[in-house]
Every structure is written in C-alpha cells, then in structure tokens.
Amino acid sequence: MLTKARILSLLFSCMLFSTSALAAQVYHLRLAESWPPNFPIFGESTKTFKQQVEALSGGRLRITIHAKNKHKAPFGIFDMVRSGQYDMGHSASYYWKGKDPNTLYFTTMPFGMTAPEQYAWFYHGGGMQLMEKVYDKYGLLSFLGGNTGNQMGGWFQKEINSVADLQGLKMRIPGFAGEVLAKLGAKPTNIPAGELYTALERRTIDALEWVGPSLDLRMGFHKIAPYYYTGWHEPATELQFLINRKKFASLPDDLQAILRVAMQSAAHDMYARSYHESAMNWAKIRQEYPQVQIRTFPKPVMDALRAANEQLLAERAAQDPLAKEIIASQQAYLQKVRAWTRISDQAYLNALSE
Ligand code: CA
C-alpha cells in the first residue's frame, strides 16, 4: 500500500524526470547568410551570434550557418526564410526593395542618420516597431544585424567633377542611393560581393561602392581604380537578422530571449569591429598604397544628389501610407537627434580640428 510519503516521493521523481526531459530537448535553427564562407566582419557576426546562443542556452539551442556557397542565393534569403527552407537569415533589408519597397528604409538612407543616431531611432525612437509593421505580412521578424559605420562613396575609374559626369555612369550601388543616382542619369546595379572585383576590372562597371577600408582593402579595389570617394549614400549600414515568425514562436520563451540578446550583442560587436578594422586598414592604405587618391564629391554634385534624394522620398511618401509614416518618423527623428550630434560629437571634433 502506498503511504502518503511514498506518493509524494513518486510525484517528486516524476517532476524531476519531466524537468530533465525538458532541459534535454535540443532545438536547431538553420541560418542562411548572404556572404561567402568565412567572410570577414559580416560572417564573424553570425559566428559570434551562434557561439553566444549555444553558450547562453547551455547547448539547448544550436545554430547551423550556411554561407553563400551552400545555398547559392545571396539575394534569396528573404524567400528562403519566408518559405521555411531556412529558419533564419543574415543579410541586409535594402536587398528586398524589389519585393517590398518599404524594406529599404531599415538599412541606411542617403543623407540619413549616422550609426549612433540610427541605433537610437531603432531602439528608442520607434524604428523597430515600424520595421515589424513592414515584415509582419510576410511572416518574418527582422532584427538588427550589425553596423558597418559610415561607408565610403566608392572606387571610381574617373573623377566626378560635375553632375554631367554621372550621366551613363555604370555603378554597383544598392538601395535607395542607386535610385537617387539613376535620377541623375547614372546606371546603378547590384552585384554580389564575390563578383565585384571582376566587374570593375573588366569595366563591366565604371565604379562601385562596397563598404569602406574595413572590407574594401582585402577586395583589392585599390589595384584597379585610382579614386576613393568619401560617402553620402550609406552613413550607417545596418545588417539584418531575419527569422521565420512561426519558427520563432515555436521556441520556449527563454530561448526566444536568448536569441534576442545574442542578436543585439552580435550587432553591437560588429559595429565595434567595423570601426576597428576601418581604422587599421585606413592606416595601412595611407602607408602602403599612397597612389590611392581620396576625393569628395564637389558641392554641386552633393546638392544635386540631395535634391534627387528628397524628390524621391516625397514621391515614395505620396504613393504609400506606410512609406509616408516611415519617412516622416526618420525625418522627424533625424532633425532632433542631429541637433544633439552637432552640439556634442561634431562640436567636439570641430574644436579639436584646427
Ligand atoms: Ca555599401
């Protein structure tokens, strides 16, 4: 006959068993990234993310990363995560502008916010909520995936001295900036990282932008193009973790929290790493490749780009209420946050510059 103590002891064993069974359940997520295998900085951020997830979850959540060579579709991440072929992706939101024009506002915008300003907007100024609104209808969740910092304007075979020089210019430049250039007569195109060098070398394109010293140096562009322009088009390029919403919802709460923390941490780490690599590589370029000539677009070119940018934004806002909401949010935030940047970082740097 079972005594009360025996029943309690049996119940306790059952509870222990079910707790340990739960603890032992291991979840797997498959992540596709847009980058070639072992790609520096971008690829390191997914590895950092994987390590953190696996350590924080005590091995209960495992991540498998497939680089471009496995899935063969660097610009197919959106579809593969949406369909469930992959659970997650690491890419850039502005690559999906052909699927939904409103995705492009969540990477960086020409003449827009710098990285600290944009992080403030995403996390505390309503940016994350707007991004969620855009991705919701596709069954996708989008999180920040790491920032490159301010990008260089690109490598050019010829100098750009006037707006007329943009006419017919074949340039690899994705996102909204490509559309701005198209408005001034250029012919923008997007080409995956692995094909950039050959395209510029064979003059399939006249110019390209990739990132900045952090990643441009190892691509070798300085060997095939003499002019390196300062930026206007991608002041704060933020990559993206995409997750299939159903898959995310199927995970226990603690693993969801671990994913969120690990993505945010990997993103922040990528920004720091990008800044570091840019500083180190810029020093190297100055020392080892003095033939590289730094240029800044002349003021009339910058003014024309800016005017085209504003015209395009106004057109977008007039066409689509959600675009209007996102653009209004970014512009209102930029106005406030930039006033602070000017009196803080900019005033500090100006005071030290002469
Ligand atoms: Ca770029």
Side-chain angles (χ1 to χ4, degrees):
M1 187 175 162
L2 290 171
T3 62
K4 197 175 172 187
R6 176 75 180 130
I7 291 170
L8 278 174
S9 150
L10 273 171
L11 271 175
F12 187 65
S13 317
C14 280
M15 278 167 63
L16 269 185
F17 175 76
S18 61
T19 310
S20 62
L22 196 68
Q25 184 167 355
V26 175
Y27 296 83
H28 288 265
L29 293 179
R30 296 167 78 248
L31 182 153
E33 58 186 7
S34 286
W35 333 117
N38 299 313
F39 198 70
I41 307 181
F42 294 10
E44 281 164 282
S45 72
T46 52
K47 289 190 185 80
T48 303
F49 163 74
K50 170 187 161 73
Q51 284 160 4
Q52 293 201 336
V53 166
E54 293 180 354
L56 288 168
S57 69
R60 284 173 55 227
L61 183 52
R62 302 221 170 260
I63 311 283
T64 303
I65 300 170
H66 282 180
K68 191 191 98 172
N69 62 321
K70 285 264 183 178
H71 57 72
K72 316 269 187 226
F75 297 139
I77 309 287
F78 181 101
D79 288 332
M80 294 191 294
V81 177
R82 189 182 177 189
S83 71
Q85 188 185 343
Y86 281 90
D87 307 308
M88 291 190 72
H90 190 245
S91 192
S93 190
Y94 64 7
Y95 290 160
W96 323 128
K97 67 173 187 175
K99 300 190 178 297
D100 185 328
N102 288 337
T103 54
L104 74 78
Y105 302 103
F106 303 101
T107 305
T108 184
M109 291 301 286
F111 304 103
M113 293 178 260
T114 63
E117 293 170 342
Q118 191 172 263
Y119 274 127
W121 175 71
F122 269 122
Y123 287 128
H124 303 285
M128 291 302 288
Q129 288 86 339
L130 286 168
M131 182 155 69
E132 196 180 326
K133 232 176 181 175
V134 169
Y135 280 91
D136 188 58
K137 55 179 159 300
Y138 304 105
L140 293 167
L141 296 170
S142 175
F143 297 90
L144 305 190
N147 207 286
T148 65
N150 209 320
Q151 295 204 0
M152 289 294 280
W155 296 89
F156 287 71
Q157 301 286 10
K158 287 183 188 154
E159 277 185 277
I160 301 297
N161 294 316
S162 67
V163 179
D165 289 341
L166 297 175
Q167 200 64 39
L169 181 86
K170 282 180 281 173
M171 180 170 186
R172 184 271 179 187
I173 179 165
F176 201 63
E179 294 174 42
V180 172
L181 273 179
K183 208 143 183 103
L184 297 176
K187 294 188 163 58
T189 167
N190 195 9
I191 299 172
E195 297 157 33
L196 288 174
Y197 185 91
T198 312
L200 187 62
E201 191 188 29
R202 293 186 184 160
R203 307 291 171 105
T204 313
I205 49 175
D206 307 308
L208 62 80
E209 72 75 52
W210 175 227
V211 178
S214 61
L215 285 165
D216 290 6
L217 183 60
R218 70 193 86 215
M219 301 288 270
F221 302 137
H222 55 279
K223 295 175 198 156
I224 48 174
Y227 302 107
Y228 200 18
Y229 274 81
T230 57
W232 61 278
H233 64 306
E234 295 198 43
T237 308
E238 184 70 35
L239 302 184
Q240 166 195 56
F241 282 109
L242 266 180
I243 306 189
N244 182 292
R245 194 177 57 207
K246 250 191 202 160
K247 186 73 186 189
F248 187 78
S250 75
L251 297 171
D253 289 350
D254 64 327
L255 296 185
Q256 290 184 10
I258 285 170
L259 278 175
R260 286 177 188 276
V261 166
M263 287 186 289
Q264 192 166 347
S265 162
H268 183 75
D269 184 62
M270 191 188 115
Y271 179 41
R273 198 188 288 265
S274 296
Y275 220 98
H276 170 74
E277 293 286 333
S278 283
M280 297 306 112
N281 286 352
W282 173 232
K284 202 169 180 177
I285 290 172
R286 285 200 298 175
Q287 199 176 353
E288 295 178 22
Y289 307 101
Q291 76 277 14
V292 171
Q293 298 179 61
I294 298 297
R295 293 286 184 272
T296 292
F297 294 107
K299 191 163 186 307
V301 173
M302 287 294 269
D303 289 347
L305 289 167
R306 196 167 185 140
N309 184 62
E310 278 164 23
Q311 200 185 331
L312 269 172
L313 285 174
E315 286 170 21
R316 289 287 180 114
Q319 283 162 5
D320 177 355
L322 185 50
K324 187 179 178 182
E325 191 183 347
I326 301 164
I327 292 164
S329 169
Q330 288 188 329
Q331 288 183 339
Y333 199 82
L334 178 58
Q335 210 178 12
K336 278 196 178 157
V337 80
R338 184 59 52 82
W340 164 241
T341 302
R342 289 206 192 289
I343 202 67
S344 57
D345 285 349
Q346 192 170 358
Y348 170 72
L349 294 172
N350 288 349
L352 294 177
S353 67
E354 294 302 328

